[in-house]
Amino acid sequence: MDSSFSSNLYPKLLILIGALYFLFGPIDIMDIDAAQYASISREMLETGNYLQVHQRGQDYLDKPPLLFWLASTSFNLFGISNFTYKLPAVLILLLGLFSTYKAARLFYSEHVAGSAMLILASTEAYLLMVNDVRTDGILTGFTIFSVWQLLEYIKSNKWSHFLLAALGIGLAMLSKGPLGAIIPAIAVGGHLLYKRDFKTIFQAKWLLIPLIVLVILSPMLYGLYQQYDLHPEKEVYGLQGPSGIKFFFWTQSFGRITGEIYWKDDSSPFFFLNSMAWDAQPWYIVGWIALVYTLILLIKNLNKPEKMPEAWTLAGFIIPFLALSSSNYKLPHYIFPLLPYFSIILAQFFLNKLPTFKPSIKNSIYIIQSLPLFLFPILVAFISIYAFELAWWKFLLLSLLYIVLFYFISKAKNPKETKIIRLNVMASFWAGIFLALHFYPNLLKYQGTAHIGKWAHENNIDKQDLFVVDAHSFSMDFYGRRATPYIAYEALDELDNGQYITVTRATYLDMQVHRPGQFEVEKSFPNYSVSLLKLGFLNSSTRAENIDSVYVLKKLF
C-alpha cells in the first residue's frame, strides 16, 4: 500500500485537527507557567539576548531555551499575540501526531496507525498542550519524531533517517533537557534488546549521535557557561555558584530524584496514575487494560520476539513512567511525552486483539469505552448551565451537532471497534470546540492581572508609572509589554502624584483604613488562579465568594 501523505486518509486529517487546534490560538495565555514562558520570550525579543535567558532582568535557570527561541522568533515575524506564542508549539504537536502515525505504520496497518494518531490527538492532554503551551508539548513532538526516525533508520539503514533522528533528539533536549534523549533511547533500545538485535545495538555509528547532538546544543551550552560557570559568585534558586552545564545535564532532571534540588512536593508514587485519569481521557481505563494485557503478552513471548512488535511502545511508556513516578517533584504534564506510546498500544489492542476475546469480556470493554460518549455531554451541559451560561440557541446547535455526528458514525458500515474509536474521537473534539469557543474565553475573564497588563498597554501607561505592591503575575508582564517593577508598601509615599500601583483586595481594604484618600481606584478586575479550578468557582452561584479582586490605584497626593 502506498503510504505517501497524498494517498492516505489519516495524514490528511491532520489539516482538520490543526484547524481545531488553532481555535485555541486567540485565547489568553494562562498563568503560571505558560504566561511565564511567554513573558520570557517577549523579554528575549526585546533585549536581543538569545544565549542567556533572563526573567524580569534576573537570571533564569530552569527550562532549556528552545521554546523561548521559537516564541520570540514568532513574535518577531508576526507580532506579539496569544496566537503567535502558541503557533510554533501547535505545529510541533502536529508533527508529533504525524510521527506517531508513521512510527506505528512501520509495524501495523494504516488503520491501526491512523487510529493511534486520532486517539493521541483527542486526549485531553493534547487539547491542553495546544492551549496552555509549555515545554512538554514541543518535547512530546520531537521525542516521538526522533523515535520514528530511529526506527526508520533501523529498517532502511538510510543516513537521512539517522541524521534526522539526531536532529530530533537535539531539539528534544533543547526543549526539556536529557529526557529528550532518554525517552527515545529507552523506546528504541527496548525494541532492539527484545529482538536480540545485538548487531544493530553495537553499531559504532550510534556514537555519532551524541556528537551531532552536542553540536545542536552548543549555542545553549555556550550561553549557560557564560552566564553561570564563569560566575561562581552567583546564587540562583537557592543553588550557590551553580554550573549551568551541570544543571542542564543533571540537576534539573535527575536532581529531582536524588534530592539535589529543592523542588519537592508530597506527591505519592501513584500521582501520574491519578492525573492521567483526566489527561488520558477518553481512553484512560481501556488504555491501561490494553497496556497490562500487552505487557503480559510481551513476557509470554520472550522467546518469540518476532510475534511482538510492541516492545518499543511498552518500553517507551513503562520505564519513563516508573522513573518519573519516583521523582520528588511531579506535575501532571510531565507524563505527556509518553502518551504517543500509550495511544499506539491502545489502538493495536482495540482493533486487533479485542475482537478475539470472549463476547462477555469484549462487550464489557465496549461499554467502558462508550461511557465517555455520555460523560462529555454531561460535562458540557454542566459548564453551560452552572458555570458559564451558554445561550440556549448555541447550546441547541451544539447538541444537534453531537447527535448528527453520533448518528452518522454509528450507522456507518464499520466494525464495532472502529465505530467506538471514532465516536470517542468525535466526542472529544466536539468538547474541544466547546472549550475553545466558550469555556476558556469565559474562564480567562477572571485572570485579572492579565487584564491589568492589557489596560496598561492599551492606555500607553509609561513603564515608570506603574508598580506592583502585591498583585502581580507573569501574564501582567506579557500583556503589559514590560517587567512591572515592585514597590514596598512602606515606600508608597515616595511615588509621584498620578503614578499607579496594583494591589489585591486585602491590601486595598487596608489602604482605605491606613491611607484614606491617598489613592483612588482607576480600574478593578475579578481575579482567580484559572489553572487551579475548583467546584466553588465553577458554580456561578458560589463564584463570587471564591474569587479575589485586583485593583489599579492612582496616587492623588
Side-chain angles (χ1 to χ4, degrees), residues 109-338:
S109 69
E110 181 188 349
H111 186 36
V112 170
S115 296
M117 182 191 80
L118 292 176
I119 288 169
L120 177 61
S122 61
T123 59
E124 291 306 307
Y126 236 78
L127 292 174
L128 180 62
M129 284 191 286
V130 298
N131 180 50
D132 190 21
V133 169
R134 313 185 194 197
T135 54
D136 307 274
I138 57 176
L139 175 66
T140 300
F142 284 132
T143 49
I144 189 60
F145 170 78
S146 58
V147 168
W148 164 37
Q149 292 301 317
L150 286 169
L151 293 171
E152 287 275 20
Y153 168 70
I154 292 168
K155 182 178 180 180
S156 67
N157 205 34
K158 291 183 179 179
W159 274 99
S160 58
H161 294 302
F162 185 91
L163 295 174
L164 285 172
L167 174 63
I169 291 171
L171 293 174
M173 292 184 70
L174 281 173
S175 304
K176 206 172 180 179
L179 268 179
I182 292 171
I183 293 174
I186 289 174
V188 177
H191 170 75
L192 293 174
L193 282 172
Y194 189 78
K195 302 296 182 184
R196 281 78 155 178
D197 189 354
F198 299 108
K199 180 180 178 181
T200 301
I201 290 174
F202 291 109
Q203 282 184 358
K205 282 189 286 189
W206 293 124
L207 297 175
L208 290 175
I209 287 184
L211 297 177
I212 298 170
V213 168
L214 279 175
V215 172
I216 296 169
L217 298 180
S218 59
M220 177 200 68
L221 296 176
Y222 176 76
L224 287 172
Y225 180 78
Q226 290 285 324
Q227 190 171 0
Y228 298 105
D229 294 73
L230 290 181
H231 297 279
E233 75 281 1
K234 286 186 176 182
E235 181 177 340
V236 186
Y237 302 153
L239 300 172
Q240 183 61 49
S243 163
I245 295 175
K246 179 187 176 185
F247 185 89
F248 171 78
F249 282 110
W250 181 262
T251 312
Q252 202 272 342
S253 298
F254 303 106
R256 303 186 186 200
I257 299 174
T258 63
E260 292 177 52
I261 197 166
Y262 71 91
W263 291 324
K264 296 179 182 179
D265 56 27
D266 297 324
S267 55
S268 78
F270 303 104
F271 176 87
F272 292 118
L273 196 63
N274 296 328
S275 69
M276 280 183 66
W278 172 250
D279 297 324
Q281 287 297 339
W283 314 102
Y284 176 71
I285 297 175
V286 178
W288 276 103
I289 292 172
L291 194 142
V292 171
Y293 175 82
T294 307
L295 179 61
I296 292 171
L297 281 184
L298 190 83
I299 295 170
K300 284 184 176 180
N301 288 282
L302 280 173
N303 295 321
K304 301 175 182 178
E306 69 282 353
K307 294 182 63 177
M308 290 297 298
E310 291 84 7
W312 67 278
T313 49
L314 283 168
F317 181 87
I318 292 175
I319 298 174
F321 183 91
L322 294 175
L324 289 167
S325 295
S326 69
S327 172
N328 291 319
Y329 188 78
K330 308 178 189 71
L331 289 172
H333 50 272
Y334 291 178
I335 212 72
F336 291 177
L338 310 186

Side-chain angles (χ1 to χ4, degrees), residues 446-461:
Y446 294 90
Q447 191 165 261
T449 47
H451 293 294
I452 291 178
K454 292 179 182 180
W455 168 83
H457 179 64
E458 292 165 0
N459 289 275
N460 296 312
I461 304 300

Side-chain angles (χ1 to χ4, degrees), residues 40-66 68-69 72 218-231 234 244:
I40 290 172
S41 303
R42 184 209 60 79
E43 187 173 346
M44 181 177 283
L45 174 65
E46 184 179 79
T47 63
N49 189 350
Y50 287 87
L51 297 185
Q52 298 184 14
V53 183
H54 293 88
Q55 172 185 284
R56 295 175 57 80
Q58 303 297 314
D59 290 319
Y60 173 85
L61 184 61
D62 189 358
K63 299 296 186 294
L66 184 59
F68 313 136
W69 290 348
S72 59
S218 59
M220 177 200 68
L221 296 176
Y222 176 76
L224 287 172
Y225 180 78
Q226 290 285 324
Q227 190 171 0
Y228 298 105
D229 294 73
L230 290 181
H231 297 279
K234 286 186 176 182

Side-chain angles (χ1 to χ4, degrees), residues 378-396:
I378 291 172
L379 179 62
V380 167
F382 169 80
I383 294 172
S384 301
I385 296 170
Y386 292 102
F388 305 118
E389 185 177 355
L390 183 66
W392 69 268
W393 62 271
K394 292 182 180 179
F395 184 79
L396 180 61

